Amino acid sequence: MVETQGDLSEQWGLIAASVRGAKHIQSGLPNQDAYQYKRAKDYLFLATADGHGSLKYFRSQIGAKLAVEAAEEVIIKEALVDGFDPKTLPLVKERVKEKLPVRIVKSWREKVEQYQEDNPFVEDETALAKLKEIETKQGPELREQIESSSDGYLKAYGSTLTAVLVTEHFILYLQLGDGDIVTMSQWGEVTRVFADDQLGNATNSLSMADPAPYFKISLTSATKKKPNLFFIATDGYANSFRSEEDFFKVADDFAELLPKQGPQFLKDNLPTWLKETTEAGSGDDITVLLAYQNSLLTEQENSEEFETLQARKDD
Amino acid sequence: MSLMPQAGDEVKTVKAKLDCKIKESIGDGTQGKVYKAEYGDQQVAVKWYKPSKATTKQKEIIEDLIKEGAPCDRFLWPFDLVYSSSIEGFGYIMELRKPGYKSIAELVARRVNTNYRALCTVGYQLADSYRKLHSRGYCYRDINFDNIFFNPRNGEISICDNDNVGINNESEASVLGTQRFMAPEVVRGETTPNTSSDIFSLAVLLFYIFMNSHPLHGKQESKIRCFDLPAMQKIYGQEPVFIFDPDDDSNRPVPGEHQNAIDSWPIYPEFIRELFTQTFTEGLNNVNKRVREGQWRSAMLRLRDSIFYCVDCGGENFYDPQQMDKEQPGECCHCAQELVLPYRIKFDDNEQKIVMLNSEAKLYPHHTDKNSKRDFSKEVAELTQHPKKPSVWGLKNLSDTPWSVTNNKGEIKEVVPERSIALAAGVKIDFGNRVGEIIY
């Protein structure tokens, strides 16, 4: 018999904000990030996607939007199985790692194909202007490849994807390309779920020929090590900080502000803070989705107790 | 008493009674932990069982394996038990995996750069190793892609986790295997793993290595959600259908979902596809119809000999005498340019004994001597370029006996060691007890 945790939508709070990058404003580019979240009785879902910025990815804001949509549809459908037995989690992991990326990519490609069919480049003045610019700046071959090869149009929609699904039994973390998933444990330990092991500026992307092998997936039991707080962010956020330590400190700040000022304060101010961050930092679009356990809001008393214990330890 | 060893702990081997110093943990499983360790001046691996798994029965199994010794040196086999007065339970000591080796899991996830030639060697060595294990009366029970490691450069393999090995149909199994590699009768609970189910698992593993997909993952599997493991039992146990079953198209691979299978299947020669088809159709429910390790062993060597390179992109392709027109062999599986067949040599006038004479080709006793099957210990011949006419290729005699060569005019000539014979269609070389004919 598995003990249930009750209504997840009552346990978790959510705050989301997305701002257009300072450099995007200067160059007239739209906010190419997208995000999606859903809080239900039996799950909490969050996803961000960062459409690539360079010229050939001229429909990447659409690609990013379709990426978070595909992630939500596929992940929720695949993961929410009636009567799921948490004991099968170690065995399920292998199948999830093998199949989930393939199915997300398939869904994203179908969505992009549909969008492309409904909005062909030839009927879109912006797209034609971008293709002309590509031809001038990067040569006619690239234009030819994007416009005429069988799935060359996918390139224009290139995007990363980051998603988290929390259920009563497990937490699924998934990432393709740049971006960050940062968790804070019940003991205040802040960690990045996936190490940043990509070299150089090129990012893994949904528009790659075969992106499935490049997905990073982590599936952990929700009964043992459930974080108190986590956030997912597009890379414009981490790139705005001087060091990893400074970036990690954001989680501490969120955890400190939530009980002190309340979630509404964060909701009201996050867009402004992110705007200031992009202006002073990366200049890139920034999207942050923050999820916290509601119990965190009432833990001030406990924190005093913690300080006492800490003091005793120091003695 | 501690439950598990810590870095710096000393444990003792039972037979040799020598100290072994535990270093960092290199693996963690359900049965125990594996550590790097120092044993004299040797770097070794120590597996230590978790207290609940350190049973007397498990100890007896390891003692038996140590006594019998490894079937061949590709098995990272236990060579002594280890214990400590300050740590609960016991462990065993084995050779450490060589650096640079990658797991088949990494290969299947397409995170390893390798080539078909190396994969054929992996396939050959797997079949050969399990044949040797089975001929001793043992079964492996848990063949899967997490316990096989290989060198991506040359395909040499190492087989780990040998402590689940047991006597076929006798000793009780502590593992049932990994579901997707299990034979249908094991999934259905009709039997515990045995050599016949090992042979099925070997075929699944080979299918994964060459097709990058599972032989039963098709339309039916695409309807099953990722997290619904119980539903997969139907695919593996109750109603298994091969995705390329020639008589049943109900479980064909789905584009986008099983694309690797769709793309890979046509690349391979018919003789390879026939073996997979036999195992995963008739062999699903009739264990006697499953392709044996010996058949796979020969097929893998034949497959390796059939590799040739596209003149445009340099990509590896397989020669299929049953399918390829000699004049128009078809398109390169990588760049779709027209292929050109290189010179090749056919032994004993047998279509199954053809070696493609690529620029780096070498012949071994395995090819040239009827009595030296699978002997790759020395080179008998290699391809050479004419020193003054680079477009002329020859076969150099690297053996210590002369060859008797008959040209296409019927003239006989002797080619002594270190000399070469120019390649030309129709030339026949008598290597002693086997004749090879050059074809172009």
Side-chain angles (χ1 to χ4, degrees):
Chain A
M1 182 72 188
V2 181
E3 198 183 328
T4 55
Q5 294 181 327
D7 191 338
L8 285 182
S9 64
E10 286 174 9
Q11 283 177 33
W12 288 89
L14 262 172
I15 295 168
S18 182
V19 299
R20 192 173 163 202
K23 282 186 194 158
H24 283 214
I25 293 169
Q26 279 169 14
S27 60
L29 278 175
N31 181 349
Q32 290 162 321
D33 284 356
Y35 66 92
Q36 190 105 328
Y37 59 82
K38 205 161 184 179
R39 197 167 29 165
K41 191 174 177 297
D42 49 358
Y43 69 87
L44 173 75
F45 172 83
L46 296 86
T48 59
D50 179 356
H52 309 324
S54 55
L55 184 57
K56 62 184 167 190
Y57 305 110
F58 55 86
R59 278 188 175 173
S60 72
Q61 73 279 18
I62 308 292
K65 184 175 158 284
L66 298 176
V68 291
E69 281 177 23
E72 183 188 347
E73 281 171 29
V74 174
I75 292 174
I76 289 172
K77 180 180 166 216
E78 296 290 329
L80 296 177
V81 176
D82 286 341
F84 179 79
D85 180 357
K87 283 205 255 4
T88 64
L89 205 58
L91 299 170
V92 150
K93 211 175 270 189
E94 200 171 79
R95 179 163 161 76
V96 169
K97 283 187 175 176
E98 184 185 338
K99 299 301 303 194
L100 197 59
V102 172
R103 291 182 180 177
I104 292 172
V105 170
K106 188 167 180 260
S107 168
W108 181 77
R109 286 191 174 170
E110 283 166 2
K111 285 177 187 293
V112 172
E113 190 184 350
Q114 188 60 55
Y115 186 88
Q116 181 69 16
E117 248 180 65
D118 297 343
N119 306 275
F121 294 147
V122 285
E123 291 172 17
D124 175 358
E125 278 181 25
T126 315
L128 287 173
K130 291 284 183 189
L131 284 164
K132 195 154 192 293
E133 201 180 338
I134 287 168
E135 189 178 343
T136 316
K137 289 182 179 168
Q138 294 170 351
E141 295 82 15
L142 185 59
R143 175 174 183 164
E144 171 80 18
Q145 194 196 350
I146 295 171
E147 219 172 3
S148 309
S149 68
S150 64
D151 51 8
Y153 64 88
L154 284 174
K155 191 63 80 189
Y157 297 83
S159 172
T160 68
L161 175 65
T162 304
V164 179
L165 178 77
V166 182
T167 74
E168 68 171 302
H169 300 306
F170 57 81
I171 305 178
L172 169 78
Y173 303 98
L174 172 147
Q175 189 173 330
L176 175 73
D178 294 334
D180 294 283
I181 307 176
V182 175
T183 63
M184 180 185 259
S185 74
Q186 292 169 13
W187 301 274
E189 187 192 0
V190 180
T191 30
R192 190 185 245 133
V193 174
F194 301 113
D196 184 13
D197 54 5
Q198 202 162 286
L199 299 171
N201 285 327
T203 181
N204 290 326
S205 166
L206 281 164
S207 64
M208 291 161 76
D210 184 14
Y214 301 93
F215 274 73
K216 295 172 187 168
I217 288 186
S218 169
L219 188 59
T220 59
S221 165
T223 45
K224 285 182 195 165
K225 282 195 262 178
K226 197 162 43 179
N228 235 3
L229 170 150
F230 65 88
F231 69 86
I232 64 176
T234 52
D235 73 331
Y237 201 29
N239 290 344
S240 296
F241 292 86
R242 273 173 303 180
S243 68
E244 177 125 320
E245 289 73 37
D246 287 352
F247 174 55
F248 276 11
K249 208 179 158 293
V250 167
D252 293 324
D253 294 343
F254 287 147
E256 202 180 313
L257 282 171
L258 276 166
K260 279 188 185 157
Q261 305 282 353
Q264 196 54 47
F265 177 77
L266 255 78
K267 274 179 197 165
D268 293 342
N269 288 288
L270 192 57
T272 315
W273 296 336
L274 297 185
K275 202 164 161 284
E276 287 166 6
T277 307
T278 178
E279 280 164 3
S282 67
D284 197 1
D285 305 327
I286 301 180
T287 302
V288 176
L289 263 63
L290 169 71
Y292 55 90
Q293 296 222 45
N294 281 325
S295 56
L296 194 71
L297 303 177
T298 54
E299 270 177 7
Q300 266 178 309
E301 288 167 30
N302 294 345
S303 66
E304 276 168 25
E305 194 180 324
F306 175 76
E307 277 167 21
T308 320
L309 284 170
Q310 193 74 6
R312 270 187 211 152
K313 196 179 154 195
D314 291 342
D315 291 342
Chain B
M1 225 182 191
S2 58
L3 297 176
M4 297 298 280
Q6 303 296 320
D9 284 353
E10 297 260 333
V11 296
K12 225 176 199 32
T13 50
V14 171
K15 261 198 316 182
K17 298 195 173 19
L18 294 172
D19 285 338
C20 179
K21 193 172 183 182
I22 300 287
K23 292 166 82 182
E24 74 269 24
S25 163
I26 50 172
D28 200 349
T30 46
Q31 289 184 313
K33 265 186 169 186
V34 180
Y35 303 84
K36 214 182 236 186
E38 270 172 18
Y39 187 55
D41 55 2
Q42 211 184 339
Q43 296 286 323
V44 293
V46 166
K47 175 164 175 175
W48 199 272
Y49 288 95
K50 289 178 181 169
S52 62
K53 305 285 178 185
T55 58
T56 313
K57 202 178 96 194
Q58 187 64 55
K59 201 171 175 180
E60 283 168 7
I61 291 169
I62 305 298
E63 279 168 344
D64 178 57
L65 295 177
I66 292 167
K67 201 171 119 201
E68 289 296 320
C72 67
D73 59 11
R74 297 182 203 118
F75 288 89
L76 299 179
W77 203 259
F79 62 83
D80 209 341
L81 279 166
V82 285
Y83 70 99
S84 162
S85 53
S86 57
I87 311 164
E88 272 191 43
F90 64 93
Y92 67 83
I93 188 166
M94 63 190 148
E95 208 183 306
L96 194 63
R97 199 171 71 227
K98 289 178 193 137
Y101 275 46
K102 305 282 180 192
S103 75
I104 303 290
E106 288 172 276
L107 170 75
V108 172
R110 284 159 284 158
R111 284 196 286 265
V112 180
N113 279 330
T114 184
N115 53 55
Y116 287 129
R117 188 168 293 279
L119 294 186
C120 292
T121 304
V122 170
Y124 161 66
Q125 294 202 355
L126 277 169
D128 187 57
S129 306
Y130 287 113
R131 189 182 158 95
K132 284 173 175 151
L133 181 83
H134 292 156
S135 67
R136 287 215 181 163
Y138 281 128
C139 59
Y140 187 82
R141 294 184 172 132
D142 191 17
I143 296 178
N144 70 65
F145 47 43
D146 285 319
N147 45 34
I148 317 287
F149 292 81
F150 77 109
N151 181 339
R153 286 186 294 114
N154 59 20
E156 299 277 335
I157 65 163
S158 281
I159 301 174
C160 305
D161 296 341
N162 296 299
D163 48 352
N164 291 319
V165 166
I167 297 164
N168 189 38
N169 294 327
E170 272 188 30
S171 50
E172 204 181 308
S174 59
V175 292
L176 280 178
T178 308
Q179 195 183 38
R180 67 170 73 182
F181 288 91
M182 284 182 198
E185 66 275 15
V186 179
V187 176
R188 292 193 297 262
E190 293 161 8
T191 174
T192 51
N194 50 50
T195 49
S196 297
S197 63
D198 266 5
I199 288 170
F200 184 88
S201 307
L202 172 66
V204 175
L205 184 64
L206 291 172
F207 196 87
Y208 255 119
I209 288 171
F210 289 99
M211 311 295 167
N212 233 301
S213 202
H214 192 285
L216 307 173
H217 285 186
K219 198 172 150 193
Q220 304 306 326
E221 185 267 347
S222 72
K223 294 177 193 161
I224 296 174
R225 291 180 288 171
C226 291
F227 283 72
D228 192 357
L229 217 53
M232 292 302 288
Q233 285 218 353
K234 196 173 140 193
I235 306 286
Y236 301 130
Q238 277 74 33
E239 293 170 28
V241 178
F242 182 41
I243 53 174
F244 295 114
D245 187 326
D247 302 319
D248 183 349
D249 63 2
S250 65
N251 195 28
R252 287 284 181 261
V254 176
E257 173 118 12
H258 310 109
Q259 199 58 44
N260 294 328
I262 297 170
D263 295 341
S264 304
W265 185 247
I267 292 174
Y268 295 98
E270 188 62 27
F271 70 89
I272 289 291
R273 293 190 301 224
E274 278 168 5
L275 294 182
F276 282 124
T277 304
Q278 186 188 321
T279 294
F280 299 123
T281 55
E282 290 174 290
L284 279 173
N285 294 314
N286 183 347
V287 297
N288 297 319
K289 295 284 183 182
R290 288 176 188 165
V291 171
R292 315 284 311 174
E293 315 92 312
Q295 288 170 273
W296 282 122
R297 193 165 63 175
S298 306
M300 288 296 138
L301 292 178
R302 186 180 166 196
L303 187 64
R304 191 170 70 183
D305 284 338
S306 68
I307 292 171
F308 69 103
Y309 304 97
C310 169
V311 287
D312 280 285
C313 74
E316 293 170 292
N317 287 264
F318 295 100
Y319 175 57
D320 186 349
Q322 285 163 272
Q323 302 281 321
M324 281 182 177
D325 185 312
K326 284 174 191 168
E327 301 302 319
Q328 288 174 307
E331 291 176 354
C332 169
C333 63
H334 307 280
C335 70
Q337 295 297 310
E338 282 298 317
L339 289 168
V340 180
L341 291 177
Y343 281 106
R344 50 213 177 272
I345 184 165
K346 181 161 75 169
F347 292 94
D348 298 343
D349 199 22
N350 185 341
E351 290 279 289
Q352 296 183 21
K353 292 179 185 165
I354 293 175
V355 181
M356 305 308 279
L357 296 176
N358 304 299
S359 59
E360 86 297 0
K362 289 184 176 23
L363 298 178
Y364 297 89
H366 166 75
H367 301 110
T368 59
D369 181 359
K370 273 181 186 163
N371 304 318
S372 301
K373 259 189 173 181
R374 298 181 299 282
D375 179 357
F376 298 97
S377 60
K378 58 184 177 203
E379 291 162 8
V380 173
E382 70 175 1
L383 232 70
T384 49
Q385 260 174 311
H386 192 286
K388 287 178 187 155
K389 295 181 225 161
S391 62
V392 177
W393 287 84
L395 200 60
K396 187 178 177 183
N397 185 350
L398 299 177
S399 74
D400 44 18
T401 53
W403 299 339
S404 174
V405 176
T406 310
N407 69 15
N408 42 21
K409 290 177 197 150
E411 296 158 349
I412 300 173
K413 188 180 157 188
E414 191 174 75
V415 176
V416 296
E418 293 303 311
R419 300 291 296 174
S420 300
I421 173 72
L423 296 181
V427 167
K428 287 183 179 160
I429 307 170
D430 187 342
F431 294 95
N433 66 14
R434 184 168 269 168
V435 175
E437 183 186 347
I438 305 295
I439 303 169
Y440 191 64

